[in-house]
Amino acid sequence: MTSDSTTKGASGMRRRANSDGRSRRRRNAIRVLAVAATILPGFTAAAQPAVADASEYRIYMHGFMSDGVVGYNASDAGPPTPIGRTPTGPPPNWPEAASPDGRFLFVAPTQNPRLIPYAIGSGGSLTPRTPLGLPDVPVDITFAPNGRDAFVLVGVTNAAVVPVRFDSDGIVVQNGPVTPLGLAIDGLGSASVSPDGRNLYVASVPSRQVVVFDIREDGTLSGAKQRVAGGMNPLFPTITPDGRHLYIVNELSATVQAFNRAEDGTLSEVAGSPYPAGLLPHVPSMTPDGRYLYVPNMGSAAISSYAIEADGSLRALPTADFDPRVGVYSESSVMSPSGKVLWALGTDPMGAQEVLRRFTIGDDGTLTRDEATVLYPGTAVADGRTLTLVPA
């Protein structure tokens, strides 16, 4: 999931008509896990968008099948400006994530597995720091809210969590023992830390479970304390800001699953869960107030939208088409700090190149596609957590 550069903005982007079905021919040929089923149609969002916030931030992305992180300086309004491309290593590449303070971007190439910290400069440029070797293929990275601890998920099978700690200079070290998820069939894990920093939640694809860990005061992990059933290919745990509810997407079940989170961090499924999504749902985003959840669907191209009710249940909102062209699908998403703009990264099958688009969020939570903001960063194949937003 790392890629490079050449930007084509609203004025210089290529617009190819794909209605003749050509876009279906090269749909993500290198996907590691995925199978297509029936496409769920979406509705066009029509609500008036909220007034955008002009504060700036940075967006970084890479491609699963290309080398290099590409950056943009962006805001809720106005055209993004390119930062440039930083090589990271040959493909395939999966995870990237930024430290909570926005000072460092961490990238983990799958070849010669290692965690590479990059210091983020004043203009958004990336300067590498000393990498940390990893024991297996890196799949995901998530950070604790304390700003110094992080957890790297490694392994396609026999998966484990590598606790790491980084200092103010971006120097990263392993922080205690590698903790196995617990089953030989655990693997391809994606994770999230609770807002109180007390629990780590890992969705394991082959075992179809969410594994719950306690995080100790020193940043190390307990053994698995709970395993709860997910659907087929559970991915990307996402927790409400108040820590009361957790959501996962089930890639091959085409659903979003909702859980209540108890005081001790254990999970129980919300009544009425799971909820329908589109085909092959992937990296979701939530508004900072915890009211709305958005799920890109790489098989059906639409972005599913939901209102989060007080009891953790989801109420479906109108979906938004990622792109007006047939077959150009969405995969990953990030939320702007204001909660008024969603950025989504997808793939145009013609050349497998990535496409970045901006959506405004209406007062009622519905999405409106910004037709003026379509960027081709020159990266190839959106798959996994390949998109990161960092406050400037």
Side-chain angles (χ1 to χ4, degrees), residues 57 90 100 137 151 199 213-214 233 257 282 297 306 313 370 373:
Y57 40 82
V137 173
F151 303 92
N199 299 105
F213 297 87
D214 286 332
N233 287 23
Q257 203 165 348
H282 265 253
N297 299 286
Y306 307 89
S313 60
D370 177 2
T373 306

Side-chain angles (χ1 to χ4, degrees), residues 81-245:
T81 58
I83 295 170
R85 172 180 169 273
T86 302
T88 55
N93 289 295
W94 254 315
E96 67 172 54
S99 60
D101 62 7
R103 297 184 59 223
F104 301 100
L105 182 72
F106 290 79
V107 178
T110 59
Q111 295 192 42
N112 182 18
R114 61 203 187 282
L115 180 65
I116 309 173
Y118 290 87
I120 301 175
S122 58
S125 61
L126 301 177
T127 303
R129 297 286 192 256
T130 304
L132 173 71
L134 297 171
D136 204 341
V137 173
V139 181
D140 200 19
I141 308 165
T142 188
F143 287 84
N146 64 15
R148 68 175 185 274
D149 293 320
F151 303 92
V152 184
L153 277 295
V154 299
V156 175
T157 58
N158 287 301
V161 184
V162 182
V164 299
R165 178 162 286 182
F166 59 98
D167 63 17
S168 59
D169 294 322
I171 304 300
V172 61
V173 296
Q174 184 172 320
N175 182 34
V178 174
T179 303
L181 265 61
L183 300 179
I185 60 171
D186 282 323
L188 293 169
S190 49
S192 183
V193 176
S194 59
D196 59 14
R198 294 167 51 192
N199 299 105
L200 176 73
Y201 298 90
V202 181
S204 169
V205 166
S207 67
R208 301 182 184 178
Q209 293 180 325
V210 178
V211 189
V212 183
F213 297 87
D214 286 332
I215 301 175
R216 303 188 182 102
E217 289 291 331
D218 62 0
T220 60
L221 296 177
S222 70
K225 67 180 288 183
Q226 185 190 24
R227 304 181 75 97
V228 296
M232 296 176 63
N233 287 23
L235 296 166
F236 308 116
T238 303
I239 307 173
T240 54
D242 62 10
R244 295 178 55 209
H245 309 293

Side-chain angles (χ1 to χ4, degrees), residues 39-45 277-279 297 300-305 317-322:
I39 292 177
L40 302 181
F43 301 93
T44 302
L279 181 62
N297 299 286
S300 56
I303 299 174
S304 298
S305 304
L317 300 173
T319 61
D321 290 331
F322 173 70

